[in-house]
Amino acid sequence: MKSYPKSEALYQKAVEYIPGGVSRNTVFHKPHPHYAAEAKGCFVKDVDGTERIDFANNMASLIHGHAHPAIVEAVTEQLKKGTAYTLATEAEVRLAELLHNRVKEFEKIRFVNSGTEAVMAMIKASRAFTGKPKIAKAEGAYHGTYDFAEVSQTSNPFNWGDRNSPNSVALAEGTPQSVLDNVIVFPYNDVERTIAILDSHADELACVIIDPVPHRVGLLEGKHEFIEALHKWTRRNDALLVFDEVVTFRVNYGGAQERYAVKPDLTALGKIIGGGFPVGALAGRADIMEVLDPRQQKLKFPHSGTFSANPITMTAGRVAMELFDQQAVDDLNALTKKAIVQIENVIRLADVPISITGAGSMFRIHFRSAAPQTYREAYQRPAVYAVINELLDYLFYKENLIMINTCACMFSTALTQNEVDRLSQALLNGFRFIRPKLEELYTQHVNYH
Ligand SMILES: Cc1ncc(COP(=O)(O)O)c(C=O)c1O
């Protein structure tokens, strides 16, 4: 294998100071991570000089790829004027107005610095508004790293329990039992089981949190009847229906929520609305958002943050979202749809037990012949993961492509049909490369469901 001496040397130094050498496990890679030197559009060059096509876009956050000239220009202007003040800025008002005009249900908006913070603020606002302690979330759904949001994020066959009432499983060692007791877990898209589970905690639930296209659950769209049933249940039980659209806001002009007849009470945002800078936001019903309003006689949810709504992020975010207008959304989704059709073709050509799910500008490749319908179906045993990693390494080292480690792609407007063709051809080569390994695996049948 080609060597990457500069990345290797940086990693040797990194492990001296940083646990595992990385500040986010996402970029960890054996034998060593690769270090980026520069990027433009859909291309990223590492410090050893290899250029790759980027289909991950910093985990779905760079909707226009890298270093878009209009964003660079606007941020450069703002940089010269200062990066953060102990004063509010016009930049935050402009981004709030833009998002409000984009989604009328975003009656009020608060900015924070990450999706994790946005989800945390959404949960705390729900508790403050309803006066109730518990939340309900889908098994396998990723909502960032707040204790309560992390529960059952990576449940597995050895701890997930009965599907009629899934266990609340801690992610981090040392998570207090009280956290687990306050998080109710349900199977995504399963109306009957979910409503039965919610019913048994009806008096205590502040909110039901839903990612409308949960990546880790399988990148499956929430079914209309599921979302509508949750909406109805929350109305009946004085609870809130809240959406995590940190990733899925890219799916339509008005986010993934645009396609539903019913709307969430609150929405957590992040990723693309920061134009490439750290961001999060909480948006929704004005009467609920009052819990954050310092003018209230009784402030129910005191909230601050040193870099919240900093003008660099706000400026980059506004320009990025102005550029991501209805036409840009439609064009990007059309390109992604073409990619999915091409990959479905490639799956047939390579004759492999693989399937694909997706929505808007995102898709995920699954190592089973029928697309999964649930988290438990999407779950892959470690032996399959080893083959997935072999495919990802093949794509990274031999084909010079970057994908997300679940074998997912999150497109940017910098991509064109050329890159989609490169991806299809690379996947055909990659599927043929892993085919014998997959065959071997599937002779050892394991049924977890
Ligand atoms: C659906 C979802 N919610 C929340 C988060 C957390 O966002 P951040 O990494 O900005 O804290 C993520 C991050 O990937 C996410 O995918």
Side-chain angles (χ1 to χ4, degrees):
M1 199 169 84
K2 194 178 153 191
S3 74
Y4 297 89
K6 289 187 177 164
S7 278
E8 213 176 325
L10 277 170
Y11 183 58
Q12 291 314 324
K13 205 168 184 183
V15 287
E16 286 182 36
Y17 312 111
I18 306 171
V22 291
S23 295
R24 52 199 292 226
N25 289 353
T26 319
V27 300
F28 181 73
H29 190 271
K30 283 181 181 164
H32 57 77
H34 290 263
Y35 289 77
E38 56 182 295
K40 183 101 187 89
C42 62
F43 299 101
V44 183
K45 199 185 267 185
D46 69 22
V47 288
D48 293 288
T50 302
E51 187 172 82
R52 298 184 176 86
I53 306 175
D54 193 356
F55 292 99
N57 288 298
N58 192 34
M59 302 301 278
S61 64
L62 307 173
I63 199 65
H64 302 297
H66 301 270
H68 188 289
I71 300 175
V72 170
E73 190 187 332
V75 168
T76 305
E77 275 312 299
Q78 180 58 47
L79 269 174
K80 290 184 217 157
K81 298 188 223 160
T83 59
Y85 323 98
T86 319
L87 295 174
T89 68
E90 185 179 347
E92 87 191 73
V93 183
R94 290 182 72 185
L95 182 57
E97 185 181 26
L98 181 153
L99 292 169
H100 170 84
N101 290 339
R102 205 163 168 128
V103 180
K104 74 172 178 9
E105 286 75 21
F106 295 174
E107 292 170 351
K108 291 279 173 1
I109 301 167
R110 259 274 165 125
F111 293 105
V112 289
N113 281 303
S114 67
T116 288
E117 271 187 88
V119 169
M120 177 171 73
M122 186 160 74
I123 290 171
K124 292 171 82 169
S126 301
R127 292 185 195 129
F129 183 73
T130 61
K132 296 194 271 183
K134 293 189 178 177
I135 68 161
K137 66 155 293 192
E139 186 171 64
Y142 184 82
H143 296 295
T145 61
Y146 181 41
D147 278 358
F148 296 85
E150 271 186 348
V151 171
S152 291
Q153 187 192 103
T154 57
S155 299
N156 65 53
F158 304 102
N159 60 26
W160 63 30
D162 184 341
R163 73 166 75 185
N164 290 310
S165 97
N167 292 337
S168 294
V169 180
L171 182 73
E173 284 287 318
T175 301
Q177 184 60 41
S178 57
V179 168
L180 303 178
D181 294 343
N182 281 298
V183 180
I184 309 309
V185 178
F186 58 81
Y188 198 83
N189 265 346
D190 185 331
V191 177
E192 215 169 293
R193 287 193 175 90
T194 299
I195 296 299
I197 291 165
L198 298 182
D199 276 344
S200 54
H201 301 272
D203 297 338
E204 300 162 295
L205 278 168
C207 65
V208 178
I209 179 166
I210 284 291
D211 178 331
V213 196
H215 173 195
R216 306 274 164 173
V217 173
L219 211 78
L220 312 159
E221 284 182 306
K223 290 182 190 157
H224 286 275
E225 63 266 30
F226 182 63
I227 304 297
E228 282 165 26
L230 293 178
H231 187 261
K232 203 161 147 196
W233 189 92
T234 48
R235 301 314 87 174
R236 252 197 340 256
N237 291 285
D238 296 324
L240 304 181
L241 176 62
V242 302
F243 273 15
D244 176 352
E245 289 233 50
V246 168
V247 170
T248 60
F249 196 59
R250 58 167 42 236
V251 165
N252 296 308
Y253 181 74
Q257 61 190 265
E258 193 180 289
R259 68 188 277 269
Y260 297 106
V262 295
K263 303 296 175 192
D265 299 300
L266 295 174
T267 303
L269 300 166
K271 309 242 180 196
I272 68 167
I273 67 156
F277 289 82
V279 78
L282 172 63
R285 272 171 45 191
D287 60 328
I288 303 171
M289 296 291 282
E290 261 182 20
V291 298
L292 290 143
D293 185 340
R295 297 169 303 181
Q296 294 297 310
Q297 218 156 35
K298 180 168 184 220
L299 180 54
K300 291 187 175 171
F301 173 20
H303 174 262
S304 233
T306 305
F307 287 99
S308 287
N310 73 79
I312 301 297
T313 298
M314 296 295 104
T315 300
R318 176 182 51 77
V319 176
M321 294 312 288
E322 281 169 356
L323 290 168
F324 198 47
D325 59 12
Q326 184 72 63
Q327 190 60 51
V329 176
D330 292 346
D331 291 348
L332 182 60
N333 290 357
L335 183 69
T336 315
K337 206 168 252 172
K338 267 185 158 173
I340 292 174
V341 170
Q342 287 183 219
I343 295 165
E344 280 168 343
N345 242 340
V346 159
I347 292 169
R348 274 190 293 273
L349 270 176
D351 189 23
V352 278
I354 285 178
S355 51
I356 183 165
T357 57
S361 46
M362 332 183 281
F363 59 82
R364 180 174 165 189
I365 293 168
H366 301 272
F367 289 71
R368 66 198 312 278
S369 43
Q373 301 299 315
T374 64
Y375 169 69
R376 294 189 182 198
E377 283 181 8
Y379 176 84
Q380 300 288 359
R381 58 199 155 107
V384 179
Y385 258 114
V387 179
I388 296 175
N389 283 333
E390 281 193 56
L391 174 65
L392 290 168
D393 277 357
Y394 175 87
L395 296 171
F396 188 85
Y397 290 112
K398 299 274 190 237
E399 303 282 354
N400 292 335
L401 306 182
I402 304 173
M403 279 174 69
I404 288 177
N405 56 7
T406 49
C407 238
C409 289
M410 306 283 173
F411 273 21
S412 78
T413 61
L415 292 164
T416 69
Q417 184 63 44
N418 280 344
E419 286 77 48
V420 168
D421 292 343
R422 280 272 311 272
L423 175 67
S424 308
Q425 184 58 49
L427 283 171
L428 179 59
N429 301 342
F431 290 162
R432 285 182 170 149
F433 169 70
I434 58 161
R435 191 170 186 267
K437 299 164 209 273
L438 275 180
E439 267 171 8
E440 201 176 303
L441 271 181
Y442 286 98
T443 52
Q444 314 150 10
H445 184 71
V446 176
N447 188 2
Y448 285 129
H449 313 296

